[in-house]
Amino acid sequence: MLQLDLTNAIKGLKKAKAKNIFLQIPEGLKTKTEEIVNELEENGLNVITAMDPCYGACDIKQTEAKKMGCDAILHLGHTKFVEKNSIPIIYAPLKYNLGERFERITKIITEYLIDEKINEVGLTTTAQFLNYLPLLKKELEKEGIKSVIGKGKRVEDGQVLGCNYSSAQVSAKTIIYLGDGLFHPLGIHFSTQKNVIIANPLTLEIKTLDEEKDKFIRQRILLIERAKNAKDYAILITTKEGQNRITEALKIKKDLEKNGKKVKIYSMDFISQESLLGINAESYINTACPRISIDDYFNYKKPIINYTEVDYLIGKKNYDEYKLAIIY
Ligand code: SF4
């Protein structure tokens, strides 16, 4: 059901008069690399494929593309995120074709909202289901449910990313998340403090976040408290364009030092436990993608927290006001 349509991307590349393409493919699509390259070559393009891991549109390899003599980047699977380009970047997002599942999930959402007497909602989703949001809005409004698709900053309207919930900042008290997984709905809740309803168009399930949000906050507090015991910290910065936060890293270094901690800053492209071997710090502060310290924290031998969580660690904020990073 996930579809990648290269037609518009090829048109965009031709319009940009690009001949030599630097291709970035997300991990989930790597097995289709040869097929994709064949299609591009059949359209007269020369392709160099980047094989380093690529998890988001924040990871645009402009320097590498130019080093390889390429005149454009084709970035698959994500929507535009990085604003300053020194080389044309064409995006080809992956999109779900839900077929009749869309009607079914719309009916499930409508019935749920009517039962719960909710008459105003904000609508959010990820890039893969984005084309369904205006249709969902239309259907809900037919039933008298006011539906708002919030303005996105650096993302499409209604779109959420693990590091960007700008489009969820709407006046409605309830936010519908059309999609799968828990990470984004948790992010919406902890960046807006609103009720989030997950409507999964793949499994046709609808549910609230009640249990998960309590479990999530308990995990975060536990991790931050473990990190608090450390005396030596490693602040991790990535060189990835859309995730680089040197200014924040320097500020956090000062904040921690004022609190009697020892701090060193380490830079790398891909942050992983392996890249940190040999470092004796007792805790890591991640300034790159927030998912590293949320989805993957158990892969690290020392407690790893997000830079936005340092204020809880040094007692500047208390856990009642816990918010996930919103970067835009
Ligand atoms: S920083 Fe992380 S969540 Fe944000 S776009 Fe990049 S990969 Fe996605």
Side-chain angles (χ1 to χ4, degrees):
M1 284 198 287
L2 253 182
Q3 295 179 333
L4 175 73
D5 184 1
L6 289 176
T7 320
N8 284 336
I10 291 168
K11 272 189 204 152
L13 289 166
K14 288 192 173 160
K15 199 167 158 209
K17 299 195 179 356
K19 195 82 189 115
N20 302 312
I21 311 304
F22 195 70
L23 177 66
Q24 286 193 267
I25 301 187
E27 295 315 285
L29 259 191
K30 287 256 163 80
T31 53
K32 303 248 180 277
T33 302
E34 279 140 322
E35 219 175 283
I36 292 166
V37 173
N38 285 344
E39 185 171 344
L40 295 168
E41 285 179 346
E42 279 158 20
N43 280 278
L45 300 162
N46 305 317
V47 182
I48 294 180
T49 306
M51 289 310 284
D52 288 320
C54 174
Y55 293 104
C58 54
D59 189 4
I60 301 286
K61 302 274 186 232
Q62 302 193 58
T63 311
E64 291 80 346
K66 285 193 273 183
K67 233 182 238 171
M68 296 295 156
C70 293
D71 38 32
I73 292 176
L74 174 56
H75 190 97
L76 304 185
H78 306 113
T79 49
K80 184 180 172 202
F81 187 68
V82 170
E83 284 175 322
K84 289 183 193 150
N85 302 342
S86 56
I87 181 169
I89 304 169
I90 307 293
Y91 296 84
L94 277 170
K95 297 212 158 133
Y96 264 101
N97 179 357
L98 291 175
E100 51 100 32
R101 276 171 189 271
F102 175 67
E103 270 169 44
R104 289 170 68 191
I105 194 70
T106 302
K107 189 164 179 279
I108 292 169
I109 297 170
T110 311
E111 285 173 0
Y112 180 90
L113 294 176
I114 292 172
D115 278 358
E116 297 290 321
K117 301 191 178 21
I118 297 170
N119 53 19
E120 186 180 3
V121 289
L123 301 181
T124 58
T125 189
T126 52
Q128 290 90 342
F129 301 103
L130 210 47
N131 44 337
Y132 286 102
L133 273 203
L135 299 173
L136 180 59
K137 175 178 161 69
K138 202 169 147 198
E139 292 304 315
L140 292 178
E141 293 202 327
K142 269 191 211 163
E143 301 295 330
I145 300 161
K146 189 176 168 201
S147 307
V148 185
I149 300 178
K151 270 248 141 306
K153 292 184 191 166
R154 297 181 65 190
V155 289
E156 302 291 325
D157 293 349
Q159 182 186 8
V160 288
L161 291 175
C163 60
N164 189 321
Y165 299 98
S166 52
S167 70
Q169 315 294 315
V170 293
S171 58
K173 290 195 181 89
T174 303
I175 308 287
I176 302 272
Y177 169 74
L178 181 74
D180 58 350
L182 277 175
F183 183 83
H184 293 103
L186 283 166
I188 296 169
H189 172 75
F190 285 105
S191 66
T192 63
Q193 302 301 330
K194 299 190 185 228
N195 296 327
V196 180
I197 296 167
I198 309 168
N200 188 327
L202 305 176
T203 59
L204 299 174
E205 283 169 324
I206 191 158
K207 64 174 193 168
T208 59
L209 261 183
D210 294 340
E211 277 174 34
E212 281 83 2
K213 69 184 187 213
D214 291 344
K215 192 172 153 205
F216 177 82
I217 190 78
R218 278 200 302 275
Q219 268 173 357
R220 295 321 293 169
I221 294 174
L222 208 66
L223 205 58
I224 298 168
E225 289 296 313
R226 278 178 59 212
K228 201 186 261 183
N229 293 330
K231 290 189 186 69
D232 287 279
Y233 291 83
I235 296 183
L236 315 179
I237 312 187
T238 173
T239 50
K240 290 184 195 300
E241 282 180 42
Q243 298 181 23
N244 176 267
R245 288 188 194 90
I246 178 66
T247 315
E248 289 84 348
L250 293 170
K251 184 188 169 300
I252 280 158
K253 185 173 189 305
K254 269 195 193 154
D255 287 348
L256 286 166
E257 284 171 347
K258 266 191 224 154
N259 281 270
K261 309 286 190 183
K262 288 187 184 151
V263 188
K264 293 190 175 50
I265 298 181
Y266 299 92
S267 154
M268 63 213 84
D269 176 64
F270 183 61
I271 295 178
S272 65
Q273 175 59 52
E274 290 67 42
S275 341
L276 301 172
L277 291 175
I279 291 177
N280 287 320
E282 295 162 301
S283 178
Y284 308 131
I285 312 285
N286 167 39
T287 64
C289 174
R291 301 196 71 152
I292 294 170
S293 10
I294 290 178
D295 281 353
D296 285 346
Y297 69 90
F298 43 83
N299 287 328
Y300 290 80
K301 290 194 176 133
K302 313 279 170 62
I304 178 167
I305 63 168
N306 277 330
Y307 74 100
T308 48
E309 293 172 321
V310 169
D311 279 350
Y312 305 98
L313 187 147
I314 59 176
K316 216 167 156 184
K317 286 185 184 165
N318 65 58
Y319 292 120
D320 297 341
E321 1 164 15
Y322 183 86
K323 270 199 165 199
L324 261 185
I326 318 168
I327 302 148
Y328 47 75

